[in-house]
Amino acid sequence: MGSSSLSDDYRQCLERELRRGHAGVCGDPSLRAVLWQILVEDFALHGALQDDALALLTDGLWGRADLAPALRGLARAFELLELAAVHLYLLPWRKEFTTIKTFSGGYVHVLKSALSEGLLIQSFQKMGYMPRDNHRLMMTAPPPAGQLLQVALGCFALRLECDILGEVLAQLGTSVLPAEELLQARRSSVDVASCVAWLQQRLALPPRGSPALFRAQLDLYRGLQEDEGPEEPSLYGEPCPGPGSPHSELACRPLLWEQSAKLWGAGAEAWEPLGEAAVSQASSPPYTALEEELEPEAFSFLSLHQELLSRPGDLAAPKTPGSPGRASPQHVHAPPPEPLGYQAHSCLAPGVLPTLSCDTCRQLHATHCTTLRTCRLGHVLRALLGDTQQRLWLRRAQVDTLLYDSPGARP
């Protein structure tokens, strides 16, 4: 499987989760298993993914006395970087993503504790961020969607590489060894067993096996979270809880704190760990402002009609400044203005469903439409999630086109 095929599968995983109301890192068990096997057999895949694996792993592990906790810290850092790239890819119109605060808890305690400042800046530059001052990284120009997808996939592969190296340490029976020896063995082997054998021979270690001592279990993360306090850090400067995460299975389940419904928002409260049943059913809209939109209620043309009736600017007669509650005498007998119809933008090819609605210019857009750059400057954007909602809005636009654009439709 080539890198382009992996990229397509990764994209489908993200978009599938978005339709379910989740906007977070990839947690698909099958894709994880496939990419794990490919990486184990061929470390050179990192080069095809252009994820700078050797430089980042060397930077994060060099000089560490115990490699096991260093790998867990790197895995968390790569997951947070992946989440930042996924947010820009899936939700590019969100203004809060234009600034990364380098004094935020996520940046200081997760990223800088695992990687050097220079490599972090390089990683964010791939996403379109540039240093503005000593405290902020600002989005200068959004990169192409394909580049953001490539960055996110590379971070996903780096997370799996940390897991592979952790498995090597678990089978080796020790995590106290030079980082350069571990990386050299990993690059020279074609599976975990041969990597372990190479290290045992190189370091003159007796065959041992105590996986429970070194495998990065979820409870190790819980212990770390308890030490850090009840609130989890974010990249955007606000404390956030973390009970909700996308549903996944077994060891590939994304970390709880990364998928919070208020991960990047304000007003977060301390969270309590959920049980397994609650975790499996939890939905994780990414931001407070979208919580209701990501889990829409029953949607129909009746609800659209009621929504239009609730907007006085669309259907109400013009009002004079002197009498806000009563129409001007000059306009008492004038017909009310017709509401503007929604139109499908030219970015929507036949068969493509809209993902965004601009309530200001009344147009439906695809996620990566170039015209959205204008709409982001002050227009009201609405996220359309789920096939049902997207198809109904597209049908509405088609009906509006017939009503407002056809000959003789207007008096």
Side-chain angles (χ1 to χ4, degrees), residues 29-158:
S30 59
L31 180 58
R32 179 187 186 277
V34 169
L35 185 54
W36 169 290
Q37 189 61 38
I38 296 176
L39 287 173
V40 165
E41 296 175 355
D42 186 10
F43 185 88
L45 178 64
H46 289 293
L49 297 176
Q50 301 178 2
D51 58 7
D52 300 327
L54 190 58
L56 290 169
L57 291 171
T58 301
D59 181 75
L61 298 177
W62 194 268
R64 302 296 180 101
D66 190 344
L67 300 185
L71 284 172
R72 292 195 293 270
L74 279 173
R76 295 185 72 196
F78 294 142
E79 187 163 10
L80 193 56
L81 289 172
E82 179 187 359
L83 190 62
V86 168
H87 285 160
L88 291 175
Y89 176 77
L90 293 179
L91 309 169
W93 65 91
R94 301 292 296 186
K95 293 182 179 180
E96 56 264 43
F97 297 156
T98 60
T99 303
I100 299 293
K101 297 179 180 178
T102 57
F103 56 85
S104 63
Y107 196 96
V108 174
H109 299 297
V110 178
L111 297 181
K112 288 188 69 174
S113 65
L115 295 167
S116 64
E117 184 75 16
L119 288 178
L120 287 176
I121 297 299
Q122 291 181 19
S123 298
F124 280 111
Q125 284 176 341
K126 292 181 180 180
M127 306 180 202
Y129 293 100
M130 294 294 292
R132 174 60 59 90
D133 52 37
N134 293 332
H135 307 291
R136 292 177 300 170
L137 302 176
M138 301 290 293
M139 176 66 66
T140 54
Q147 180 176 333
L148 290 172
L149 189 68
Q150 185 78 10
V151 172
L153 176 58
C155 293
F156 180 52
L158 288 169

Side-chain angles (χ1 to χ4, degrees), residues 103-347:
F103 56 85
S104 63
Y107 196 96
V108 174
H109 299 297
V110 178
L111 297 181
K112 288 188 69 174
S113 65
L115 295 167
S116 64
E117 184 75 16
L119 288 178
L120 287 176
I121 297 299
Q122 291 181 19
S123 298
F124 280 111
Q125 284 176 341
K126 292 181 180 180
M127 306 180 202
Y129 293 100
M130 294 294 292
R132 174 60 59 90
D133 52 37
N134 293 332
H135 307 291
R136 292 177 300 170
L137 302 176
M138 301 290 293
M139 176 66 66
T140 54
Q147 180 176 333
L148 290 172
L149 189 68
Q150 185 78 10
V151 172
L153 176 58
C155 293
F156 180 52
L158 288 169
R159 282 202 290 135
L160 293 185
E161 185 61 41
C162 291
D163 291 344
I164 294 172
L165 293 173
E167 182 65 23
V168 170
L169 296 180
Q171 295 190 19
L172 187 63
T174 180
S175 58
V176 181
L177 68 158
E180 59 271 24
E181 296 287 353
L182 176 62
L183 294 178
Q184 183 179 354
R186 174 71 184 91
R187 297 173 63 194
S188 304
S189 59
V190 294
D191 54 33
V192 172
S194 62
C195 185
V196 172
W198 192 96
L199 285 170
Q200 287 174 341
Q201 182 179 5
R202 177 87 172 188
L203 303 176
L205 296 174
R208 298 173 58 188
S210 54
L213 294 177
F214 303 101
R215 185 173 293 123
Q217 301 284 355
L218 184 60
D219 58 348
L220 294 178
Y221 287 104
R222 285 175 179 164
L224 183 59
Q225 290 172 349
E226 291 169 0
D227 294 339
E228 291 173 350
E231 293 181 341
E232 288 299 338
S234 76
L235 285 176
Y236 305 106
E238 296 292 344
C240 310
S245 61
H247 173 68
S248 53
E249 298 179 13
L250 303 178
C252 64
R253 179 185 301 155
L255 304 182
L256 296 179
W257 69 275
E258 267 85 355
Q259 306 295 326
S260 169
K262 298 180 179 179
L263 181 59
W264 315 105
E269 299 176 354
W271 65 276
E272 298 179 358
L274 297 179
E276 288 297 325
V279 170
S280 63
Q281 298 174 0
S283 104
S284 60
Y287 307 99
T288 307
L290 285 181
E291 281 183 310
E292 295 182 358
E293 295 179 10
L294 290 175
E295 296 180 359
E297 299 178 354
F299 186 85
S300 64
F301 283 111
L302 179 60
S303 65
L304 290 176
H305 179 66
Q306 293 173 345
E307 179 180 353
L308 286 176
L309 291 179
S310 66
R311 297 182 180 180
D314 290 343
L315 296 178
K319 301 174 183 178
T320 61
S323 56
R326 181 179 302 174
S328 171
Q330 291 83 355
H331 296 85
V332 170
H333 301 290
E338 297 182 5
L340 295 176
Y342 280 82
Q343 305 293 324
H345 190 258
S346 59
C347 65

